[in-house]
Amino acid sequence: MKTKAAVLWEYGKPWSVEEVELDAPKAHEVLVRLTASGLCHSDDHVRTGDLPVQLPMVGGHEGAGVVEEVGPEVTGVKPGDHVVLAFVPACGRCKWCATGHSNLCDLGMYLMMGEEIGGGHRVHARDADIGTMCLLGTFSPYTTVHEASVVKIDDDIPLDKAALVGCGVTTGWGSAVYLGETRAGDTVVVVGIGGIGAAALQGARMAGAKNIMAVDPVPWKREMALKLGATHVAESMEAAHGPLTELTRGQMADVTILTVGVALGELIAPLLALTGKNGRAVATAVAPALQTQVTLSLADLTFMQKSLRGGLFGGANPRSDIPKLLDLYRSGQLLLDEMVTTTYKLDEVNQGYDDMLAGKNIRGMIIHEH
Ligand code: CXF
Ligand code: ZN
């Protein structure tokens, strides 16, 4: 079928919204009519070349919609089902899926390969085969994806909010709850209040943290952070140091979470300076793929028994955590409406990213037109 999509043809160039040809679903694939797609920073990492992928590529990996058609051998969903597209596929069979770490599913190897699961491409234009960001390509009103990337959700959840749990919300919430192992009474510092940081604040709140400090240079984001769960705010990690020392009587944070737009190696030393004895520092933000140097006092890491860990999708399991987070939304404990700052049409995708980079959005969201 013919549809529209935002395609990246060359690093450093803007997204090109144009007509593309989308294949019908093959075995184990699903055609989804997308309602909305979040504007996550990772697509901009692809655009700048921080995250090298095979181009051309349809952007977008934070979407939700309704199943339009299923290919042969699809058993998990049927036409009419509401679904969230998870940016990590889960096969349910590999070692990682079988041990409760399906965010690390072996099908994840396809994420950066430029081909779909099982090989080949489903999108074509200008005589070229086109890949899809994270096997999804949600910057389009329709996409054909593998059933491993699809999670069925309840019909009453608004799909434009459900889209957020396909990447940012689950990643941030899980960074606090699973990877940071926040416990009741803990002190948590979240550095960078975009879509992921805003969800990390909420994870820390739900896990029972006593003090939650949000760090961001943008004043309105610090105000927003206070509505989402932060108890204290600071404009930089350096500015957070004094107040955090006072707040914790010098013990510093049990958990620190790095959720800035671009993770730079030089941010690790200040992050660990905010992390106390036996504390967990979680590096969630995406770093340029070729960067290999970090600043770090190894002596401090060892003698203070600190941990520094990375994490994908917040250590969450798409099939259990996506429905769980949407239940928390329904019960009013997870605030999603407040996280969407501005909505855009697909044609406005570049404006959405300009706004994100200018600090104007917690999360921008494309609402697809049908
Ligand atoms: C990223 C992680 C690195 C691969 C692309 C997606 N996660 C979320 O935005
Ligand atoms: Zn993302």
Side-chain angles (χ1 to χ4, degrees), residues 255-271:
V255 183
T256 55
I257 306 171
L258 188 65
T259 51
V260 293
V262 184
L264 297 176
E266 70 207 40
L267 299 176
I268 298 303
L271 186 75

Side-chain angles (χ1 to χ4, degrees), residues 39-43 61-62 87 133-134 166-168 171 196 363:
L39 298 175
C40 176
H41 204 121
S42 297
D43 297 279
H61 64 281
E62 196 179 79
F87 92 80
M133 176 69 172
C134 295
C167 178
T171 300
I196 297 179
R363 204 37 134 214

